[in-house]
Amino acid sequence: MTETVTVTSTETVTATATKRSPIRTGAAIPRLLYIPAVVGLALLILPIVGLFLRADWPRVPAAIMSAEAQSALGLSLQTALSSTVLCIIVGVPLALLIARSGSRVAGLLRALTTLPLVMPPLVGGIALLYLLGRNGLVGSGLELAFGIRIPFTTAAVVIAQSFVALPFLVISVEGALRTAGTRFETVAATLGAGRWMVFRRVTLPLIMPGLLAGTVLCFARALGEFGATALFAGNAAGITRTMPLAIYTAFNGAGVSQDSAIALSLLLIVVSIVILFLLRSWRTTPEL
């Protein structure tokens, strides 16, 4: 009896000490691994530091407020917002279909959905041209039947951004759906709720954190899209020249000045940092 009490007390004290004294971060890492870790961190941070040092800060506000920069910024925000809304409309049902399908079907759908993540953006632009171009699979019919031309228009920018950004939203929402499970949906259905009511009153509230995170990632990816947009939508000022294209144009000797290009680059970095902080605040859970 005494031994049992002693063992129990020891286990209690050990558990309490573990809670109060967390394991020191990095205690089990071999010291030699710190060298490549620091090199990798420097590879990620030093280019951004160099950009901040290169900027002519007194001229940054004027560069951002120039007509060319404002045009590119406004077009980028407008198209990124439009493509994000489009991704939500088609991405949430797609994520629900993947999450509620069998393992084989879900694996196939997931692979097809994430294909733009591993596909080079330029290849995506070519694929969109062969689909919606004048001689494309769908584009030729649209032009003959309705006189609609999509390439090299603002709509083409939205489509290109949606093509590369959609996987981010689908992956986030599907993960949230799988984590939530179907228990609450089943209970609601047994109580007489219809499918639409279950979706609106049960499913959507459960996956809202994942949906918000996916929406922010989707918007950030659309805002920084370059390759597919350049090939499918072109680089026309005020029509298809978004911020990434304006930056590229400036460093090739046309369009906005290099000061404006650097200013827009800094603005994109700031937006990315804000997005990271937003994601961290949504995903952080209070410690017990």
Side-chain angles (χ1 to χ4, degrees):
M1 182 69 178
T2 304
E3 293 180 356
T4 304
V5 173
T6 303
V7 172
T8 305
S9 301
T10 303
E11 292 177 351
T12 304
V13 171
T14 303
T16 305
T18 302
K19 291 181 180 180
R20 293 181 179 178
S21 303
I23 298 175
R24 189 175 45 149
T25 303
I29 300 177
R31 293 183 178 180
L32 286 177
L33 294 183
Y34 281 100
I35 298 175
V38 171
V39 172
L41 187 62
L43 181 62
L44 296 174
I45 295 177
L46 289 181
I48 299 175
V49 172
L51 183 61
F52 274 86
L53 294 177
R54 173 64 178 80
D56 188 357
W57 289 100
R59 297 183 179 180
V60 166
I64 293 179
M65 296 305 296
S66 66
E68 296 86 353
Q70 285 294 301
S71 175
L73 175 60
L75 182 63
S76 292
L77 293 176
Q78 176 187 347
T79 55
L81 182 61
S82 299
S83 61
T84 301
V85 172
L86 177 60
C87 288
I88 292 174
I89 293 174
V90 301
V92 173
L94 178 57
L96 188 62
L97 177 62
I98 296 174
R100 298 297 184 256
S101 298
S103 59
R104 292 185 178 180
V105 176
L108 176 61
L109 293 176
R110 192 180 300 110
L112 294 175
T113 302
T114 56
L115 185 59
L117 292 179
V118 297
M119 179 188 300
L122 293 176
V123 176
I126 295 174
L128 289 173
L129 275 177
Y130 278 104
L131 175 67
L132 298 172
R134 295 184 60 183
N135 299 318
L137 184 64
V138 177
S140 58
L142 288 175
E143 185 170 356
L144 288 175
F146 306 102
I148 298 176
R149 295 183 181 181
I150 296 179
F152 310 109
T153 63
T154 305
V157 177
V158 175
I159 294 174
Q161 291 176 343
S162 301
F163 175 77
V164 299
L166 181 60
F168 289 89
L169 185 134
V170 174
I171 291 173
S172 298
V173 175
E174 187 210 349
L177 285 166
R178 291 190 177 276
T179 301
T182 59
R183 181 163 58 96
F184 294 104
E185 295 174 344
T186 303
V187 171
T190 57
L191 294 176
R195 294 185 179 183
W196 276 108
M197 180 174 290
V198 171
F199 177 72
R200 290 186 293 106
R201 303 294 296 273
V202 179
T203 306
L204 281 181
L206 286 175
I207 66 171
M208 191 55 64
L211 177 58
L212 290 175
T215 300
V216 174
L217 287 174
C218 180
F219 178 80
R221 181 64 185 88
L223 195 64
E225 161 54 25
F226 171 76
T229 303
L231 276 180
F232 182 55
N235 189 16
I239 300 176
T240 62
R241 182 175 294 169
T242 57
M243 282 197 292
L245 286 166
I247 295 170
Y248 175 80
T249 303
F251 280 98
N252 281 274
V256 299
S257 65
Q258 288 196 8
D259 289 336
S260 296
I262 294 175
L264 288 175
S265 301
L266 294 175
L267 183 60
L268 284 176
I269 292 175
V270 171
V271 171
S272 301
I273 293 174
V274 171
I275 289 170
L276 289 176
F277 274 106
L278 288 175
L279 288 177
R280 183 182 179 185
S281 64
W282 288 335
R283 294 182 177 180
T284 300
T285 55
E287 295 184 0
L288 300 177

